[in-house]
Amino acid sequence: MMSLHEAIRAVATDRAQRPIRCELQVDAVTEISPSFRRITLRGAGLAAYTDPLPADAFRLFPSVPAARDGAARDGAATAGAPGAGVAPSRAFTVRTFDPAAERLAFDAFAHGAGLVDRWLRGLGPGTGVGITGMRVEFVLAPVAAAAAATDPLLLVADGSGLPAAAAILAALPAGRPALAVLGGVATADRVLVPARPGHRIRWVRRHALPEAVRTLPRLGGAAVAWVAAEAAQVRIIRRHLVELHGVPRSQVRTSAYWKAGFTMDDLDAAAVPRQAEAVAEGWDERDPEGLAEIVIG
């Protein structure tokens, strides 16, 4: 069976040949908790989204960005960064997708200030937006096989990764056990992760995520782990998983969703030249292990 990294690479290679780049309209904006809003988009352009996977990522723009040479290889990775000649953008996770109704929903965290909050205040039914994507973040195949139904599956996330973790948990086959260690999530926002049989949810303080992972019972070589949190914590958690828990690196998917002391605009601006330099040196943009290193530096 493919490792998690191999499965992600295979999907990314296929999607690179048919990127999604379309204009949609806001269908609804719903408050699902004090900190999260669920935005539903609709449009015929979603017909190109033929292979949905849990935690797929896309970039949203106030309007459709102009095409650029090379940008179509993975629009979710770099499009919209400052200085790229396109409108500001932010990455979001697909929460639900209904192909028959041509509707896609995602959950946005309302920080109280910043670009996303300004968008949320202006979004309403009929508002036009553009999206590019889809970047693959998780593939079910390595964890869904019946023969591996008892192998450990660990999800680790802070509030920034909560929608993605919730999407993965919701997509798991019925009865597939999983452990989610989730940090820094207000009690009222925990409704994003509904209880399901076989799922154990451990809520911890945001800064306690690395220690919570370190002190877990040893996971071993059959485990699969997915991590999305602050950059420095992601590095520590990955080291704990590989060195202490014996999880193969090829079975650990890590994503740095933010970096302490930096705004998203700062990170976007820094990631663009770093990624261009890495590609020039031969880095494969579809490599699941390298993307976080490029983005967070």
Side-chain angles (χ1 to χ4, degrees):
M1 177 178 291
M2 285 186 178
S3 71
L4 182 59
H5 282 196
E6 290 170 336
I8 289 174
R9 183 191 291 270
V11 176
T13 299
D14 179 55
R15 287 185 176 180
Q17 309 305 315
R18 46 186 180 82
I20 297 171
R21 206 174 181 87
C22 62
E23 186 173 4
L24 305 172
Q25 286 190 320
V26 175
D27 192 58
V29 179
T30 306
E31 180 177 320
I32 55 174
S33 78
S35 301
F36 285 90
R37 306 293 180 269
R38 180 161 294 169
I39 295 92
T40 304
L41 306 177
R42 60 180 171 84
L46 291 173
Y49 187 27
T50 58
D51 60 344
L53 292 169
D56 277 348
F58 64 94
R59 276 194 175 265
L60 181 142
F61 302 76
S63 59
V64 179
R68 295 181 292 117
D69 290 344
R73 285 177 298 181
D74 184 357
T78 59
V86 295
S89 66
R90 286 292 177 267
F92 294 101
T93 298
V94 177
R95 186 63 181 85
T96 62
F97 175 57
D98 184 342
E102 297 179 334
R103 280 173 170 78
L104 176 155
F106 66 95
D107 296 337
F109 181 68
H111 297 266
L115 178 64
V116 173
D117 287 84
R118 292 196 298 273
W119 282 358
L120 289 175
R121 287 194 293 271
L123 287 181
T127 301
V129 300
I131 71 165
T132 66
M134 294 285 180
R135 188 180 74 228
V136 58
E137 291 285 339
F138 190 79
V139 177
L140 282 172
V143 300
T150 59
D151 292 339
L153 170 61
L154 173 69
L155 308 178
V156 183
D158 62 12
S160 68
L162 190 64
I168 293 171
L169 287 169
L172 292 176
R176 176 56 165 91
L179 168 63
V181 180
L182 306 173
V185 179
T187 301
D189 293 328
R190 296 176 183 178
V191 295
L192 267 72
V193 186
R196 291 186 69 197
H199 294 176
R200 294 181 293 138
I201 312 298
R202 182 178 175 187
W203 303 98
V204 302
R205 293 177 294 105
R206 187 178 70 191
H207 298 295
L209 278 173
E211 180 64 11
V213 172
R214 187 188 70 81
T215 55
L216 288 174
R218 193 173 189 275
L219 298 171
V224 174
W226 177 92
V227 183
E230 192 276 331
Q233 293 201 13
V234 165
R235 292 182 187 277
I236 297 170
I237 292 168
R238 181 173 57 190
R239 187 167 63 247
H240 287 341
L241 289 171
V242 174
E243 297 178 3
L244 298 180
H245 286 284
V247 183
R249 290 182 69 90
S250 62
Q251 295 287 71
V252 179
R253 168 63 164 176
T254 59
S255 297
Y257 277 15
W258 62 287
K259 188 173 184 177
F262 292 82
T263 67
M264 292 306 299
D265 287 342
D266 293 335
L267 295 178
D268 281 345
V272 169
R274 246 193 329 265
Q275 185 161 345
E277 180 180 350
V279 170
E281 293 175 353
W283 173 67
D284 184 349
E285 291 179 273
R286 295 161 299 190
D287 178 11
E289 189 171 353
L291 183 59
E293 301 297 334
I294 298 300
V295 172
I296 66 179

